[in-house]
Amino acid sequence: MPIPLSALPCTTLVNSTPQRALRSISHTARVAKALPFSLHRTCPGSDHEAKVLRMVMFGKPGSGKGTLSSRLVKKYDVLSLSTGDLLRQHIAERTAVGQQAEGIVAQGGLVPDEIMLQVVTGKLDALRNRHWILDGFPRTLNQGKLLDTHLQAQNTPLSLVVNLDVADEVILSRISDRWVHLPSGRIYSMSYNRPKVDGLDDETGEPLAKRPDDNPEVFAHRLKQFHDSTSPLVSYYASKPKSARMVTLHGKTSDEIWPKLEAVVRSSFPNLRERAAARRQHSLSDTFMTGEDAWVS
């Protein structure tokens, strides 16, 4: 089914006596920070060596896919790839694929799966050893099979499939409380993630708005579309235990689901590193740890 443009460690242990750890606060902080990574360092040839995160995430409309992906990208060295953005880039750059898609979109048509596959894989093939999350593709069973076939042929298969399980009534309540800063896409909830000033974006102070589709009628339609197209795709990945790891995460809010997602990612991809900004934030608290307490992480 086509998609419209708009939808678019050998384990190494760090040995040290408490006296050595007490030499200085800064020394302790560095060891405390390095320890979690050394415990996960792998021997050459082990199954976990250089394991790369190649991830897709499924969930009903309003289940928090965007929020969770953003948190992962902000904290860890992961790229987020939006199929809609990639398609628009191809059109703007007048590539061969972009010109094909442009003509279809101009006539109000839906971009065929094969063209969308070229748009997506043209980028993914250049990211062979990078961690990434793919947003907006696949959305249907046919797209999933096409993507799987291509990635397997490139020896870069998906490594993680995440399915977010949030109850319909929870999502309905969530979208009713949702406000958006349209230029940036930042999302606020009046129930659990309120802006500092009601009606205004925290960073710019600009007005927030409601999405046109954040209403019960549109949600019901989008939910039916999800069940019709994406549910078979989720079943397809669930039936392939020897391929990508698939996990289903349950919860009511993104704050509830986030630690579960982070635990899955950290345990499955021990080589995944935090971004410098996130490491600096952690180091502020690390500097206050001394003695044996510094080894707790």
Side-chain angles (χ1 to χ4, degrees):
M1 174 182 174
I3 36 182
L5 177 58
S6 59
L8 303 176
C10 179
T11 298
T12 301
L13 297 178
V14 179
N15 296 316
S16 178
T17 64
Q19 289 76 14
R20 287 179 62 191
L22 281 166
R23 285 187 307 196
S24 69
I25 291 177
S26 60
H27 167 81
T28 301
R30 287 195 299 270
V31 175
K33 188 60 192 169
L35 184 58
F37 291 106
S38 67
L39 288 176
H40 289 103
R41 193 171 300 142
T42 55
C43 299
S46 71
D47 291 340
H48 294 286
E49 184 180 16
K51 191 172 183 182
V52 178
L53 174 64
R54 305 184 190 97
M55 170 180 164
V56 293
M57 185 186 301
F58 302 114
K60 302 168 188 173
S63 60
K65 299 185 298 294
T67 299
L68 292 166
S69 294
S70 295
R71 290 188 183 185
L72 202 57
V73 169
K74 184 177 181 179
K75 186 171 182 179
Y76 296 98
D77 182 23
V78 179
L79 294 174
S80 178
L81 305 174
S82 165
T83 53
D85 289 346
L86 290 175
L87 180 56
R88 281 183 281 270
Q89 181 180 355
H90 273 276
I91 292 176
E93 295 178 353
R94 306 290 297 166
T95 65
V97 172
Q99 292 182 52
Q100 291 182 61
E102 184 177 29
I104 297 170
V105 172
Q107 297 175 17
L110 301 177
V111 181
D113 291 348
E114 291 74 12
I115 293 182
M116 286 307 304
L117 181 70
Q118 293 181 60
V119 169
V120 172
T121 58
K123 185 67 173 180
L124 296 184
D125 290 351
L127 301 174
R128 189 175 190 88
N129 297 314
R130 294 295 304 274
H131 304 284
W132 50 256
I133 305 173
L134 184 56
D135 175 28
F137 191 93
R139 290 178 179 248
T140 68
L141 181 57
N142 185 56
Q143 292 173 5
K145 291 180 176 180
L146 287 172
L147 180 63
D148 260 7
T149 299
H150 180 90
L151 294 180
Q152 292 285 355
Q154 297 294 314
N155 198 29
T156 57
L158 288 174
S159 51
L160 181 63
V161 177
V162 175
N163 179 40
L164 304 180
D165 185 14
V166 183
D168 293 0
E169 58 270 21
V170 172
I171 297 177
L172 182 56
S173 173
R174 178 184 298 174
I175 65 173
S176 299
D177 288 345
R178 182 163 64 183
W179 290 82
V180 182
H181 179 243
L182 295 176
S184 68
R186 281 186 288 275
I187 299 174
Y188 300 87
S189 170
M190 304 308 290
S191 298
Y192 62 88
N193 182 36
R194 300 180 70 98
K196 296 175 182 177
V197 178
D198 286 357
L200 300 179
D201 176 53
D202 287 352
E203 295 192 18
T204 66
E206 295 172 344
L208 302 178
K210 296 287 290 185
R211 285 177 173 171
D213 56 354
D214 278 355
N215 64 72
E217 294 76 17
V218 173
F219 170 73
H221 178 67
R222 295 177 66 198
L223 186 60
K224 183 179 184 303
Q225 287 184 318
F226 171 82
H227 286 302
D228 290 346
S229 63
T230 311
S231 290
L233 181 57
V234 174
S235 298
Y236 164 73
Y237 284 115
S239 68
K240 301 180 64 180
K242 293 184 179 180
S243 57
R245 177 185 180 185
M246 180 172 178
V247 295
T248 296
L249 305 179
H250 308 270
K252 294 183 178 181
T253 68
S254 297
D255 287 342
E256 184 179 344
I257 296 175
W258 165 246
K260 302 175 184 179
L261 174 61
E262 186 176 26
V264 168
V265 170
R266 288 184 64 92
S267 65
S268 300
F269 305 92
N271 294 314
L272 183 61
R273 294 191 175 272
E274 292 187 14
R275 296 189 183 276
R279 292 198 299 269
R280 284 197 299 269
Q281 185 176 11
H282 285 306
S283 70
L284 292 176
S285 59
D286 291 341
T287 57
F288 292 99
M289 297 191 302
T290 59
E292 294 182 355
D293 290 341
W295 299 90
V296 180
S297 61

